[in-house]
Amino acid sequence: SIYRDTRQYEASEALYVEVIDAQKKLLGETAIELGNTYNEYSQMLDDKGDLPEAVRMAEAFMRILDANHTGPNASYGAAYNNYAYLQHDAGDYDAAIASFERSMAEQDAIGLAPDHFHRSYPIYGMAHTYMAKGDVDTAITLYRQALPMRQQHFDASHLNVTQVQLSLAEALFTNG
C-alpha cells in the first residue's frame, strides 16, 4: 500500500488488519488471497522492524500456501525463500535452512536448470545462514556455488554479484 511505501506503518497496519478481517469473512481462512495479504503484511512488519509479528504473519501465509499447494510452482519457491530470510533474521537458523531447502525443492520440481540464477537466491541464503551458525566451510562452498550463477546473469558490478563476492571474501577472511 502507499502507506507502506511511505513508511506510514500505523495507517498501513490498520488497513492490513481490516483487509485480513474482510478476507477471512468473505473468502475463508485458507483463501490464497488472504495468504497473499499475510505475506504483504509480513513484509511491511519486517520493514517496520517488528520481526516477531512479521514471522507470525509469514507463518500464517505459509500455512495457507501449504493448504493450497497443488503441485510445482515457482511462486512457492520464492515464498519459502522469503520466509527463510525472516527465520534467519529471527535466529532460527535450522528452520531457515529447511525453508531454503524447500525453496530449492520447488525449483527442482518445476524443472529449473541446475545453473539458473534463481537457484542462487536460496543457495546464497543458506550460505549466509551457515555463516551465522559459524559453519564457515559450508558457507564458503555455498557462496562459491552461487557466485557463477549470478555472474552468468548479471553484470560484474551488479549488486547481486557484488553481494556474493563480498560475503565470500568475508567468509574466506574469517576462515584465515
Side-chain angles (χ1 to χ4, degrees), residues 10 19 31 40 42 47 55 58 69 79 97 104 116 141 146 157 163:
E10 289 73 26
V19 169
E40 291 172 15
S42 172
D47 290 348
V55 169
H69 195 270
I97 290 167
M104 292 174 58
H116 194 282
T141 299
S157 63
Q163 177 186 51

Side-chain angles (χ1 to χ4, degrees), residues 19-156:
V19 169
I20 287 169
D21 288 343
Q23 287 178 325
K24 283 180 181 178
K25 290 176 189 167
L26 294 171
L27 303 173
E29 296 280 337
T30 60
I32 197 68
E33 295 83 1
L34 174 61
N36 290 334
T37 302
Y38 279 132
N39 186 41
E40 291 172 15
Y41 189 23
S42 172
Q43 293 170 21
M44 188 277 303
L45 290 164
D46 187 35
D47 290 348
K48 179 183 171 192
D50 188 351
L51 187 58
E53 192 64 11
V55 169
R56 195 173 76 77
M57 290 297 115
E59 288 169 347
F61 170 54
M62 299 312 293
R63 280 192 300 276
I64 291 171
L65 201 60
D66 285 342
N68 287 282
H69 195 270
T70 58
N73 185 316
S75 294
Y76 295 146
Y80 274 98
N81 194 64
N82 295 340
Y83 183 43
Y85 273 104
L86 285 174
Q87 292 170 312
H88 170 98
D89 291 346
D92 193 352
Y93 300 135
D94 292 333
I97 290 167
S99 291
F100 284 126
E101 289 172 344
R102 178 79 186 265
S103 175
M104 292 174 58
E106 289 293 333
Q107 292 175 342
D108 289 341
I110 64 169
L112 203 61
D115 63 346
H116 194 282
F117 81 97
H118 280 178
R119 288 190 179 273
S120 72
Y121 294 103
I123 292 169
Y124 175 81
M126 279 198 301
H128 190 60
T129 303
Y130 277 108
M131 190 71 182
K133 286 182 70 164
D135 186 346
V136 180
D137 291 332
T138 300
I140 290 170
T141 299
L142 292 168
Y143 287 136
R144 285 183 169 153
Q145 188 179 349
L147 184 58
M149 293 175 189
R150 293 201 183 173
Q151 288 172 322
Q152 282 180 334
H153 186 75
F154 298 106
D155 181 68

